[in-house]
Amino acid sequence: MTDTEKALVALAQNEPIDWLLGKVFRARVAKDETHFLLDALSGRNPHAVQAWNAWIAEFRSVLRNPDEAPKKADAELSESPLTRIDDFITEVLAVLYLSRNGYTDFEIVLAGDKKAVDFAAVRAGKRVRIEVKNLREPEDIIRTVAGARWKECKARHPGKFNFSVLLIHSHSGPL
């Protein structure tokens, strides 16, 4: 049995993950794509699988409209780059954080609702809107460009680029 086949079998056995991301992961496997959680499901990291199951189960328990969460995942992740899965999980973790810090009555807001928010909730008796952003370094800064190029070269010529590199430059002035 391949790692992918193991991951798909395990996906069906991990109900919280399957409930939220099963359709997305099955579509990714059909396109021969992978994600670190699929690797974990194949048996490489059972602790990660356990944590994700717990987070997703808790996420579902604080939602007023939990049936909308898989729809949101499908709509936002089906045609997106794989990195978007990580952004989506950031939204799940943000809801958990907020639910542990006084917010209640969470509601999924679907993108088709024409509202520029991910969730609505109640805080101190008032309805609030929540938009979650997962910030990254810009892709055009030297560290990011050089890192991507190094990774590319190392993948193409592992024997030639079999050492680590550290890039340091001043942010004030030219290279």
Side-chain angles (χ1 to χ4, degrees):
M1 183 180 286
T2 67
D3 282 351
T4 301
E5 291 168 336
K6 289 178 191 174
L8 289 175
V9 168
L11 181 59
Q13 297 168 349
N14 287 276
E15 192 275 332
I17 297 170
D18 195 19
W19 167 77
L20 186 61
L21 299 170
K23 186 175 178 183
V24 171
F25 281 137
R26 285 180 184 87
R28 294 301 183 158
V29 166
K31 293 178 182 179
D32 203 29
E33 296 177 325
T34 190
H35 184 265
F36 74 86
L37 186 54
L38 286 170
D39 292 338
L41 283 163
S42 73
R44 292 187 190 161
N45 191 342
H47 300 295
V49 173
Q50 184 180 17
W52 278 55
N53 274 320
W55 293 329
I56 293 170
E58 183 180 349
F59 170 71
R60 179 170 40 187
S61 76
V62 300
L63 295 175
R64 270 184 39 192
N65 57 345
D67 293 339
E68 298 297 311
K71 293 175 189 175
K72 180 179 178 71
D74 295 344
E76 293 185 13
L77 303 175
S78 292
E79 301 300 321
S80 301
L82 283 175
T83 55
R84 183 66 185 105
I85 293 172
D86 302 341
D87 295 339
F88 189 82
I89 292 303
T90 299
E91 294 178 14
V92 169
L93 296 175
V95 167
L96 297 185
Y97 175 82
L98 294 171
S99 73
R100 295 170 185 171
N101 286 281
Y103 290 75
T104 60
D105 206 24
F106 286 88
E107 184 178 347
I108 297 279
V109 177
L110 297 175
D113 293 344
K114 302 289 182 204
K115 298 175 185 170
V117 298
D118 295 310
F119 304 97
V122 172
R123 169 79 169 148
K126 294 183 180 178
R127 198 91 182 129
V128 296
R129 290 181 256 175
I130 301 163
E131 173 65 19
V132 180
K133 293 295 180 199
N134 191 7
L135 303 178
R136 292 183 185 79
E137 285 187 318
E139 293 181 10
D140 63 347
I141 64 172
I142 190 69
R143 180 176 48 251
T144 306
V145 172
R149 178 76 173 128
W150 184 259
K151 189 176 181 180
E152 196 178 287
C153 289
K154 199 171 188 173
R156 257 194 252 143
H157 308 285
K160 187 175 179 181
F161 294 90
N162 64 351
F163 54 92
S164 298
V165 171
L166 174 64
L167 172 67
I168 300 172
H169 81 88
S170 171
H171 292 285
S172 57
L175 267 180

